Amino acid sequence: MRLHNTMSRRLEPLRPLRAGEVGIYTCGPTVYDAPHIGNLRTFLFEDVLRRSLHLLGYRVTQVMNLTDVEDKIIDGAHRAGQSIAEFTAPHVDEFFADLAALGIEPAEHYPRATEHIDGMIELIEALIEQGYAYTAEGGVFFRIDRFERYGRLSGIDLSQVVRGERVADDEYGKDDVRDFVLWKSAKPGEPSWPSPWGDGRPGWHIECSAMSRHFLGETFDIHCGGVDNIFPHHENEIAQSECAHQAPFVRHWLHSEHLMVDGEKMSKSKGNMYRLADLRQRGASLRALRYLFLSVHYRRKINFTDASLDAAGSALRRLDELRFRLEHVAGGGPDSTADGDAGGEEARQSDDRADATGFQEVLDALRRDFRAALADDLNLSAGLAALFRFVKETNRRLEAGLETRQAAAALAALAEVDRVLGVLDPEAWLEPTQSAAAWLGDAEIEALVERRDAARAERDWTEADRLRDELSAAGVVLEDTPGGTLWRRS
RNA sequence: GGCGACGUAGCCAAGUGGUAAGGCAGGGGCCUGCAAAGCCCUUAUUCGUCGGUUCGAUUCCGACCGUCGCCUCCA
């Protein structure tokens, strides 16, 4: 597998420290508000990464931190007259609910900054002992001059930069304006923790260094985040961790590009800072949202528009249609088909049962091309192209008459691909589109379908069409085939 | 100002030193009582512009134009 590495700015083969095992640290949310769809794009990219690694046979340990102590949180809690824990709790819930709503698999660990203060203090002590950090008015600071490699990740040349007025308002007693804070001394009324340097709270960057070390060790495989984290956050993490440990920090840096809305950067002032709740209100399909995010490479900006979401929904309908027809041929409803948990072994066996009319090659091509696309820096655009080539070819054969076994094998192949995509099973995305009043039970639908069939047999097209309209209004789509009328909920 | 990314059909989006995947939308046809779905055909002599290297460039180099990002706590 090859992945782009921000450090070298090129594709590099993934070489995990321990063969077959990958440790990933992903910068998580600051829990002062519900995530916006830009945050979610990044989390979805990280979901694709872990799912891809799984499909390609790696074991994965993913850590995602929750930043639950920080200026905005302290302000918010203060204003609400709440403790930090009280203030952040609902936002933590929103965060997990949003991940679930987008089909994002849970990480192995979700540590909170406030649970790892001790680890941060240890790191800071190590930095002070080795002369990389110093105490001054306002707290403890990292001395950037002591770390020659500072700026390598972001390509920033510190000797050129940061002499402007933006740092003039600095409230701290740093030796050098470029130094960054590791520990902030508490101001009256602020939440604080005891430390060798007095009561205070950690700076932002140190939490990731402490928590990644705790769960993944001093050196680990992959660190992810949005591009805006490259500088200063990740640059500072590198400085802290490498100086404290005297060991390499991260082998592979992966950063996802931002999301734009209607061609503009999302921002509160523009009113285009959407959260999932906003999209739900507008009747958007979250399944289509996942598909849309999946369809654009992670290092490329996505321009989110209504039209793009609609197009994603249309593409999904085409995939659903194939699945629907395959399930019918495979005999049995959705319940009897392989689901997303079908292992490679099982899928392989159903392939073998598929006959040798060349359909095997169609199945193999999907598996091969899809995996190759993932292994090439998570090129899902190419992976989806492979999927649609499979769709076209399978539809063609469906028209000519596909055997039950072949249909089952095709469904198994789709399930395998869906282990990464996570959008192919409509049953998993029950999104209420119909009002309760219009909703019909299976028996009712079948009765109406039978009545329509009877009307058609008598060539009473008016009545037949009326019944079809009635079903359509209830969200039921009919398909007349030589083998009879099929129906499904849209 | 410094650093960086990108600019491929109506829209979205892969890709390669040797002649442009895929999706959406559109047009024509087959099928159908009519539909729906599906299938077939069709929609970029061309990859921002201008130069250069090359037998040959969309792909490499340079300039320019445009869009966007980062430059101390925003995914």
Side-chain angles (χ1 to χ4, degrees):
Chain A
M1 185 176 206
R2 294 191 311 164
L3 293 170
H4 184 266
N5 190 349
T6 307
M7 189 60 88
S8 64
R9 290 165 202 281
R10 50 182 81 165
L11 296 180
E12 292 177 4
L14 174 68
R15 296 219 175 79
L17 284 169
R18 286 172 296 278
E21 244 179 284
V22 181
I24 308 177
Y25 188 89
T26 48
C27 283
T30 300
V31 285
Y32 68 97
D33 199 356
H36 59 249
I37 56 176
N39 296 317
L40 293 168
R41 192 240 171 137
T42 295
F43 301 145
L44 196 50
F45 142 66
E46 290 155 354
D47 181 52
V48 167
L49 173 63
R50 62 173 285 130
R51 284 169 176 259
S52 298
L53 288 167
H54 276 145
L55 187 72
L56 296 175
Y58 294 96
R59 284 189 298 282
V60 173
T61 301
Q62 182 190 355
V63 179
M64 181 176 280
N65 65 296
L66 303 185
T67 299
D68 60 353
V69 52
E70 177 265 358
D71 290 349
K72 284 189 284 288
I73 290 173
I74 292 171
D75 286 352
H78 181 71
R79 244 177 261 144
Q82 293 175 312
S83 69
I84 285 189
E86 287 166 343
F87 177 75
T88 56
H91 302 308
V92 171
D93 292 344
E94 287 169 330
F95 164 71
F96 284 116
D98 283 1
L99 294 193
L102 283 180
I104 294 173
E105 286 182 354
E108 280 61 36
H109 305 283
Y110 289 102
R112 299 176 191 211
T114 52
E115 294 166 348
H116 289 266
I117 303 283
D118 289 350
M120 300 184 215
I121 290 175
E122 275 174 35
L123 269 180
I124 296 169
E125 283 180 318
L127 289 170
I128 291 175
E129 267 167 37
Q130 297 175 81
Y132 291 108
Y134 59 93
T135 55
E137 171 77 40
V140 182
F141 300 87
F142 186 93
R143 195 183 296 285
I144 276 179
D145 271 351
R146 282 291 317 278
F147 185 56
E148 311 109 25
R149 292 196 297 283
Y150 193 89
R152 248 185 61 190
L153 181 70
S154 54
I156 280 172
D157 179 356
L158 273 191
S159 66
Q160 297 290 322
V161 196
V162 194
R163 300 289 182 192
E165 70 268 18
R166 286 193 72 167
V167 293
D169 64 345
D170 205 276
E171 57 187 300
Y172 303 111
K174 300 176 190 178
D175 288 359
D176 184 322
V177 292
R178 303 168 305 176
D179 293 347
F180 61 90
V181 68
L182 296 166
W183 185 262
K184 295 182 176 183
S185 302
K187 292 178 197 144
E190 275 185 356
S192 64
W193 287 259
S195 83
W197 321 285
D199 289 354
R201 60 191 161 92
W204 174 36
H205 318 293
I206 196 71
E207 65 173 84
C208 290
S209 286
M211 293 187 273
S212 62
R213 174 174 75 163
H214 180 85
F215 291 99
L216 301 170
E218 294 180 353
T219 303
F220 58 94
D221 300 306
I222 298 178
H223 192 131
C224 303
V227 285
D228 54 298
N229 276 158
I230 295 172
F231 186 86
H233 184 50
H234 291 162
E235 201 72 75
N236 291 353
E237 279 185 51
I238 293 170
Q240 295 162 345
S241 293
E242 301 205 341
C243 292
H245 302 140
Q246 294 299 310
F249 181 40
V250 165
R251 317 242 303 182
H252 226 112
W253 287 94
L254 285 159
H255 292 98
S256 58
E257 251 298 352
H258 277 171
L259 175 90
M260 318 262 292
V261 172
D262 296 325
E264 294 183 308
K265 183 181 178 175
M266 275 198 306
S267 73
K268 277 180 184 156
S269 57
K270 283 177 183 147
N272 60 0
M273 197 98 147
Y274 297 125
R275 293 164 307 173
L276 241 39
D278 302 320
L279 296 184
R280 277 205 192 90
Q281 233 164 35
R282 296 170 49 173
S285 157
L286 299 189
R287 187 178 172 223
L289 184 67
R290 180 174 172 107
Y291 180 92
L292 172 63
F293 285 1
L294 251 36
S295 67
V296 182
H297 188 87
Y298 72 92
R299 280 191 286 114
R300 193 179 166 110
K301 285 188 262 290
I302 293 182
N303 184 18
F304 176 82
T305 62
D306 286 337
S308 65
L309 200 56
D310 289 347
S314 298
L316 235 25
R317 270 196 294 286
R318 182 163 153 82
L319 295 167
D320 287 348
E321 200 62 49
L322 172 67
R323 189 186 170 98
F324 174 65
R325 298 171 80 194
L326 285 172
E327 279 169 353
H328 180 254
V329 172
D335 293 345
S336 66
T337 62
D339 63 15
D341 293 331
E345 196 55 40
E346 201 176 310
R348 177 60 51 188
Q349 283 171 5
S350 34
D351 280 7
D352 292 343
R353 290 197 298 273
D355 73 19
T357 57
F359 192 57
Q360 186 59 52
E361 170 50 26
V362 177
L363 296 167
D364 288 345
L366 173 61
R367 288 214 171 83
R368 185 199 328 120
D369 294 348
F370 189 76
R371 283 168 184 264
L374 294 180
D376 184 19
D377 196 30
L378 306 178
N379 189 345
L380 272 187
S381 305
L384 288 173
L387 175 59
F388 279 99
R389 284 194 296 270
F390 169 82
V391 169
K392 172 165 266 190
E393 186 55 36
T394 305
N395 271 326
R396 210 176 271 163
R397 286 161 187 268
L398 226 23
E399 198 135 286
L402 201 64
E403 289 179 13
T404 301
R405 285 172 179 181
Q406 293 177 310
L411 284 167
L414 285 177
E416 181 177 324
V417 163
D418 201 38
R419 286 168 62 193
V420 172
L421 300 179
V423 289
L424 262 32
D425 182 4
E427 304 274 313
W429 292 85
L430 293 176
E431 296 183 271
T433 52
Q434 295 301 317
S435 66
W439 200 83
L440 297 175
D442 287 10
E444 291 172 280
I445 292 169
E446 270 153 31
L448 287 169
V449 169
E450 271 175 40
R451 275 172 61 195
R452 174 169 171 275
D453 282 344
R456 291 181 71 218
E458 288 167 27
R459 310 184 72 78
D460 183 354
W461 310 126
T462 310
E463 174 66 0
D465 289 350
R466 191 191 65 73
L467 288 162
R468 184 167 61 196
D469 289 346
E470 191 178 328
L471 284 161
S472 171
V476 176
V477 179
L478 299 186
E479 294 186 21
D480 296 327
T481 75
T485 301
L486 307 181
W487 66 269
R488 65 188 167 85
R489 292 195 167 84
S490 62

